[in-house]
């Protein structure tokens, strides 16, 4: 596989990969996550308190928006196969998400919130494959792990800082103004992407790549086997909200509802911190282990999830005990997301990078939907233990597939 990045630096300086372009993309991920976490955190209050909508409206809006984002990621992958087009999609996606997300502040009806939220999430989905392909253009293959680890670290930092900023803004200017002000970090993210693009080698060919949906080539060979194992993982990768619910349910009998919820949110913060801390070391390890590095790091992350879900299946109520699966899941997601992106960048042919990242994002979206839906049904009809046992089985299957893939590599 050929690489479009500049020749690798032969000096022993391990920080040469952290170029201005990589910093620009990392900054965009941080700022964008801060920007969209503000309206996300305040959306329930806007709908129920300000507009008087029932809780069902929130569920419908979020479900439709997530589904559109998943579909958009696949389409965004097709667009991102063209190196010139992927730049426009990335900038447009960041700017549009920021404007539409902030515009919900001025909504006067529930349908307006739903329309704006769905459009914003569609734009967000379109930009993801373009951003990931751009990052592969900037760095040499030997540094994919560190570059994607840095991007994931910055994204996770945004997930921590965004809700905290939302709380401060609400106390200062109220819910609607807080949502409106979220346009500022969102547009700064678009500016960061523009900066990163200016530091990226320009495409050598001026010919437009025709828009083609290419699924079969992406699912061929090592890349196809990797995506099969990733699919098994994602079918067991439940939304973090279910982890919070599990902790709340276990803690409520002893601590009461309000205190249990507070503790559960604190544990979720530990999850995000663990993910942030784990991302770059996971990327460094992936690079050091050579060709099989991304798959091995991905397998380690999946193993962390298997242990985490196994512990969640138990009915232990000690806070210290519950902290362990939250931290394990955080370390797991930090390693998994970094390794998934670096593996796809390494295995995908240059002309299929956009489609490959689009397929990865689609598998992630559909898998997460299936995991949360089925786990929720098992939780309700049988027990939380049954739900987490089901998820653990999928982690074990994914781990087996990754280990087989690593041996073949």
């Amino acid at each position: 596989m050929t690489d479009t990045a500049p020749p690798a630096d032969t000096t022993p300086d391990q920080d040469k990969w952290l170029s201005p372009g990589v910093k620009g993309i990392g900054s965009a991920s941080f700022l964008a996550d801060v920007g969209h976490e503000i309206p996300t955190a305040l959306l329930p209050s806007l709908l129920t308190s300000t507009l008087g909508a029932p809780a069902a409206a929130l569920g419908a809006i979020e479900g439709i928006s997530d589904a559109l984002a998943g579909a958009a990621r696949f389409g965004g992958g097709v667009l991102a196969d063209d190196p010139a087009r992927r730049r426009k999609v990335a900038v447009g996606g960041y700017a549009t998400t920021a404007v539409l997300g902030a515009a919900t502040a001025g909504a006067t009806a529930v349908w307006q919130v739903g329309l704006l939220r769905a459009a914003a999430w569609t734009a967000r989905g379109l930009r993801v494959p373009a951003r990931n392909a751009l990052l592969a253009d900037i760095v040499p293959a030997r540094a994919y792990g560190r570059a994607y680890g840095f991007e994931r670290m910055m994204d996770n930092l945004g997930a921590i800082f965004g809700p905290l900023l939302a709380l401060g803004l609400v106390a200062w200017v109220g819910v609607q103004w807080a949502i409106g002000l979220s346009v500022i970090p969102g547009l700064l993210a678009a500016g960061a992407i523009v900066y990163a693009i200016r530091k990226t080698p320009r495409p050598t060919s001026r010919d437009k790549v025709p828009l083609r949906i290419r699924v079969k080539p992406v699912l061929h060979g090592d890349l196809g086997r990797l995506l099969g194992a990733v699919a098994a993982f994602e079918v067991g990768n439940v939304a973090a909200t279910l982890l919070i619910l599990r902790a709340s349910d276990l803690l409520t009998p002893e601590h009461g509802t309000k205190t249990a919820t507070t503790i559960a949110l604190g544990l979720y913060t530990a999850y995000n911190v663990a993910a942030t801390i784990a991302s770059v070391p996971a990327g460094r390890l992936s690079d050091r282990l050579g060709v099989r590095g991304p798959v091995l790091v991905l397998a380690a992350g999946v193993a962390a999830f298997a242990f985490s879900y196994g512990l969640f299946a138990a009915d232990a109520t000690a806070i210290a005990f519950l902290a362990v699966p939250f931290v394990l899941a955080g370390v797991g997601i930090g390693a998994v997301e970094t390794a998934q992106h670096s593996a796809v960048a390494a295995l995908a042919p240059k002309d299929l990078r956009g489609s490959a990242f689009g397929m990865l994002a689609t598998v992630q979206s559909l898998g997460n939907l299936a995991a949360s839906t089925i786990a929720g049904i098992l939780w309700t009809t049988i027990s939380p233990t049954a739900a987490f046992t089901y998820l653990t089985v999928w982690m074990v299957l994914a781990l087996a597939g990754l280990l087989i893939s690593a041996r073949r590599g």
Side-chain angles (χ1 to χ4, degrees):
M1 184 183 72
T2 60
D3 193 85
T4 59
D9 195 318
T10 56
T11 65
D13 186 358
Q14 293 299 306
D15 292 328
K16 290 294 184 182
W17 63 271
L18 192 57
S19 64
V22 174
K23 292 176 182 177
I25 290 179
S27 298
S29 291
F30 170 76
L31 290 165
D33 223 53
V34 170
H36 72 67
E37 283 290 345
I38 294 173
T40 296
L42 300 179
L43 188 63
S45 178
L46 176 68
L47 283 170
T48 59
S49 300
T50 304
L51 299 179
L58 175 63
I61 288 172
E62 289 295 81
I64 293 170
S65 299
D66 286 342
L68 288 173
R73 289 180 180 188
F74 182 78
V78 176
L79 292 171
D81 279 337
D82 182 350
R85 191 183 288 119
R86 76 174 57 133
R87 295 164 175 243
K88 297 176 183 178
V89 171
V91 175
Y94 276 95
T96 304
T97 303
V99 172
L100 293 175
T104 57
T108 57
V110 175
W111 69 267
Q112 294 172 353
V113 175
L115 184 63
L116 289 167
R117 181 73 167 177
W121 248 227
T122 300
R124 185 183 177 210
L126 282 172
R127 81 186 186 211
V128 170
R131 179 203 64 207
N132 289 334
L134 277 172
L135 191 52
D137 291 342
I138 293 174
V139 296
R142 65 175 176 81
Y144 282 157
R146 283 164 286 177
Y148 285 106
F150 176 75
E151 187 275 325
R152 287 292 84 199
M153 179 191 74
M154 296 297 283
D155 186 87
N156 287 320
L157 277 175
I160 295 171
F161 187 71
L164 296 176
L165 180 58
L167 290 174
L169 288 174
V170 167
W172 180 37
V173 295
V175 170
Q176 289 174 292
W177 270 103
I179 293 174
L181 289 172
S182 70
V183 73
I184 296 174
L187 291 180
L188 288 174
I193 279 292
V194 172
Y195 171 80
I197 287 172
R198 289 181 177 176
K199 301 297 181 180
T200 307
R202 290 190 173 275
T204 55
S205 175
R206 294 186 178 182
D207 296 333
K208 279 280 186 180
V209 176
L211 292 177
R212 288 185 294 170
I213 297 175
R214 292 182 284 184
V215 174
K216 190 174 181 179
V218 173
L219 298 179
H220 179 73
D222 291 340
L223 181 57
R225 284 189 288 271
L226 172 74
L227 289 173
V230 168
F233 165 75
E234 297 296 348
V235 172
N237 181 20
V238 75
T241 48
L242 265 71
L243 309 186
I244 298 170
L245 178 61
R246 178 60 166 159
S248 298
D249 285 352
L250 289 170
L251 293 168
T252 294
E254 181 178 349
H255 300 278
T257 302
K258 185 176 181 180
T259 301
T261 301
T262 302
I263 296 171
L265 291 175
L267 292 171
Y268 178 57
T269 300
Y271 163 94
N272 282 322
V273 171
T276 302
I277 294 173
S279 296
V280 172
R284 288 186 179 276
L285 182 60
S286 173
D287 290 337
R288 288 179 180 176
L289 292 176
V291 177
R292 296 187 299 172
V295 177
L296 292 174
V297 171
L298 180 53
V302 172
F305 266 104
F307 281 113
S308 173
Y309 287 163
L311 292 173
F312 274 119
D315 289 327
T317 60
I319 297 173
F321 181 91
L322 286 171
V324 175
F326 270 98
V327 171
L328 278 173
V331 171
I333 200 64
V336 165
E337 289 183 342
T338 297
Q340 284 178 344
H341 292 153
S342 57
V344 169
L347 293 174
K350 180 179 64 175
D351 62 333
L352 286 176
R353 272 185 184 157
S355 289
F357 278 116
M359 182 64 71
L360 172 64
T362 303
V363 167
Q364 290 170 334
S365 296
L366 295 178
N368 294 165
L369 177 62
S372 298
T373 301
I374 297 174
I377 293 172
L378 291 172
W379 187 308
T380 303
T381 59
I382 303 177
S383 69
T385 297
F388 280 103
T389 301
Y390 164 81
L391 298 172
T392 303
V393 170
W394 275 111
M395 291 298 139
V396 172
L397 292 174
L399 180 60
L402 288 167
L403 292 177
I404 293 171
S405 179
R407 289 186 65 182
R408 287 183 178 179

